[in-house]
């Protein structure tokens, strides 16, 4: 006769197994179901939202180990995944339906911030998340060029701005509204108005993640964002040399000053792997961002090399092609996973349901 724990015992063992999106136990919303047990083998269905898409495989593995550790006699666990529908809540007066809003910033220009912002958005989209990408780099909007976009925003029947759609990823940039080569000359109140309009009046739909490409430096935009909605956090991009790290520290200080949690640092242009001889060259030094992250108690999300094809893809508006680059794609995907894990870690620390976003 087949023996083993009952369904009730399996569910009891999952009481403290946490959903990566909410930080609460998976039993709170009946995410574990279809439990079958016999002869040391346990099979069940686990429902995870699309917000948790980058962490699905890790969550499956962790769930299996969790159950084997708590249920004597269970030696094999099979976890089948299905999508758990969990709608995003509107963000107060702004009305933004996004579960996580992440700003990508840098202390100075020229460190690859926009490339990383677009790459993170694309990596999340590839993983299965619903993603929006907002170009808030008002003075130097480069997202349209990186993605090869030519888009003229129009209003829909509800007077909402239609964003560009890149294979399901929604994109909005002031670069769509300004002729190429024309300077954008705006002061503080006008900047505030544009950012507010992009958040409130764009038809973003329901998003798991909105990635915001910030202007370099420590200007008005971060203050505006902190006033409009509580951001999930910020990612700071820098290069290894000291002058870039000094500015990155200032960017981290700025985010913390306006109460935006810092989710991590990324070291770009970390090294150069010569395609001719296979040798590695630390052109700008190496490891500075990791060292600085440790000193500032900030997670280190990963590093990316200088890569000629990445530069070519960006110049040609083919950023998505970077995910076919064997030298770069695994690193981008790892950074994306590390970012999702950091968001999940913050949820676990909070231990509460997803917050209802509201205007400060």
């Amino acid at each position: 006769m087949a023996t083993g724990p009952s369904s009730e015992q399996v569910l009891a063992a999952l009481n403290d197994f946490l959903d990566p999106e909410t930080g609460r136990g998976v039993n709170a919303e009946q995410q574990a179901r279809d439990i079958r047990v016999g002869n040391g083998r346990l099979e069940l269905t686990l429902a995870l939202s699309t917000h948790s898409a980058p962490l699905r495989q890790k969550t499956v593995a962790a769930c299996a180990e969790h159950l084997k550790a708590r249920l004597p006699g269970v030696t094999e666990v099979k976890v089948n995944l299905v999508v758990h529908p969990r709608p995003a809540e509107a963000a107060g007066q702004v009305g933004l339906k996004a579960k996580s809003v992440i700003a990508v910033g840098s202390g100075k220009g020229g460190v690859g911030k926009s490339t990383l912002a677009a790459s993170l958005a694309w990596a999340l989209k590839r993983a299965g998340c619903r993603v929006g990408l907002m170009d808030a780099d008002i003075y130097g909007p480069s997202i349209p060029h990186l993605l090869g976009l030519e888009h003229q925003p129009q209003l829909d029947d509800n007077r909402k701005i239609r964003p560009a759609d890149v294979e399901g990823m929604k994109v909005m940039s002031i670069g769509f509204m300004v002729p190429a080569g024309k300077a954008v000359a705006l002061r503080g109140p006008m900047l505030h108005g544009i950012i507010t309009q992009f958040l409130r009046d764009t038809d973003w739909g329901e998003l798991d993640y909105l990635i915001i490409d910030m202007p370099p430096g420590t200007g008005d935009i971060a203050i505006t964002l902190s006033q409009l909605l509580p951001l999930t956090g910020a990612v700071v991009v820098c290069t290894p040399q000291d002058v870039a790290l000094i500015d990155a520290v200032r960017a981290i200080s700025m985010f913390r000053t306006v109460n935006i949690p810092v989710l991590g640092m990324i070291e770009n242009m970390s090294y150069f792997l010569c395609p001719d001889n296979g040798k590695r060259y630390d052109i700008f030094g190496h490891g500075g961002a990791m060292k600085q992250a440790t000193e500032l108690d900030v997670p280190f999300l990963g590093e990316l090399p200088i890569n000629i094809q990445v530069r070519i893809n960006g110049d040609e508006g083919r950023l998505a092609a970077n995910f076919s680059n064997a030298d770069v794609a695994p690193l981008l995907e790892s950074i994306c996973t590390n970012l999702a894990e950091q968001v999940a870690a913050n949820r676990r620390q909070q231990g509460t349901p997803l917050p209802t976003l509201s205007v400060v």
Side-chain angles (χ1 to χ4, degrees):
M1 176 182 294
T3 60
S6 66
S7 295
E8 290 75 17
Q9 289 173 316
V10 173
L11 289 174
L14 288 171
N15 274 334
D16 59 345
F17 186 76
L18 305 183
D19 173 67
E21 180 186 345
T22 65
R24 295 177 295 168
V26 294
N27 289 337
E29 296 183 18
Q30 299 180 330
Q31 292 170 249
R33 60 189 76 134
D34 304 329
I35 298 169
R36 294 177 291 278
V37 184
N39 299 321
R41 188 175 189 274
L42 166 61
E43 182 174 352
L44 76 156
T45 297
L46 181 65
L48 296 177
S49 71
T50 52
H51 183 275
S52 302
L55 303 177
R56 281 173 178 160
Q57 296 309 313
K58 287 194 173 186
T59 304
V60 164
C63 182
E65 293 305 313
H66 181 95
L67 288 169
K68 284 191 284 188
R70 284 163 174 74
L71 297 172
V74 172
T75 58
E76 181 182 351
V77 178
K78 181 180 179 182
V79 180
N80 303 309
L81 280 180
V82 295
V83 174
H84 181 68
R86 183 182 287 126
E89 297 185 14
Q93 296 177 31
V94 177
L96 177 67
K97 292 184 178 180
K99 294 179 179 180
S100 293
V101 182
I102 298 173
V104 179
S106 63
K108 65 187 293 294
V111 299
K113 166 190 58 63
S114 295
T115 298
L116 263 297
S119 296
L120 283 173
W122 193 255
L124 289 165
K125 182 260 177 194
R126 280 170 49 90
C129 304
R130 299 169 298 178
V131 182
L133 174 60
M134 181 176 130
D135 189 355
D137 192 347
I138 300 297
Y139 298 119
S142 55
I143 293 297
H145 182 84
L146 289 169
L147 295 175
L149 291 174
E150 292 183 6
H151 177 70
Q152 184 62 46
Q154 304 290 331
L155 297 180
D156 63 18
D157 294 339
N158 297 315
R159 306 297 296 173
K160 289 280 191 177
I161 303 170
R162 291 193 184 99
D165 188 295
V166 185
E167 298 184 26
M169 183 175 75
K170 296 184 177 181
V171 182
M172 190 61 200
S173 170
I174 197 172
F176 297 146
M177 304 174 181
V178 179
K182 183 176 180 180
V184 179
L186 297 172
R187 301 182 69 178
M190 297 176 71
L191 291 173
H192 180 90
I194 289 174
I195 297 302
T196 301
Q197 187 176 28
F198 278 7
L199 290 170
R200 183 190 62 206
D201 298 336
T202 299
D203 182 16
W204 293 109
E206 286 202 21
L207 301 176
D208 293 311
Y209 294 88
L210 177 65
I211 304 297
I212 302 178
D213 181 24
M214 301 283 287
T218 55
D220 293 350
I221 303 280
I223 298 172
T224 291
L225 288 172
S226 69
Q227 292 171 341
L228 290 174
L229 75 168
L231 271 69
T232 305
V235 172
V236 175
V237 179
C238 65
T239 51
Q241 70 267 43
D242 288 344
V243 66
L245 290 169
I246 291 170
D247 289 331
V249 170
R250 292 193 180 103
I252 291 171
S253 176
M254 172 199 66
F255 284 124
R256 286 174 167 171
T257 298
V258 296
N259 296 317
I260 297 175
V262 180
L263 297 170
M265 293 180 70
I266 300 172
E267 183 172 283
N268 197 23
M269 308 181 199
S270 186
Y271 56 89
F272 175 66
L273 192 63
C274 181
D276 296 330
N277 57 25
K279 290 185 178 180
R280 171 176 167 148
Y281 298 92
D282 295 335
I283 296 174
F284 298 119
H286 178 259
M290 181 184 291
K291 180 175 181 292
Q292 196 70 71
T294 301
E295 293 177 359
L296 294 172
D297 194 24
V298 170
F300 182 69
L301 301 179
E303 62 184 26
L304 288 167
I306 299 171
N307 185 277
I308 295 172
Q309 191 58 49
V310 168
R311 192 272 303 166
I312 293 172
N313 292 341
D315 286 347
E316 295 180 351
R318 299 187 303 110
L319 178 136
N322 292 337
F323 288 87
S324 300
N325 184 326
D327 293 327
V328 174
L331 301 176
L332 289 172
E333 290 167 352
S334 175
I335 290 171
C336 172
T337 300
N338 291 340
L339 174 60
E341 286 182 334
Q342 190 57 43
V343 172
N346 287 359
R347 297 276 194 241
R348 290 194 299 271
Q349 188 174 14
Q350 293 166 2
T352 57
L354 284 171
T356 300
L357 301 179
S358 60
V359 175
V360 176

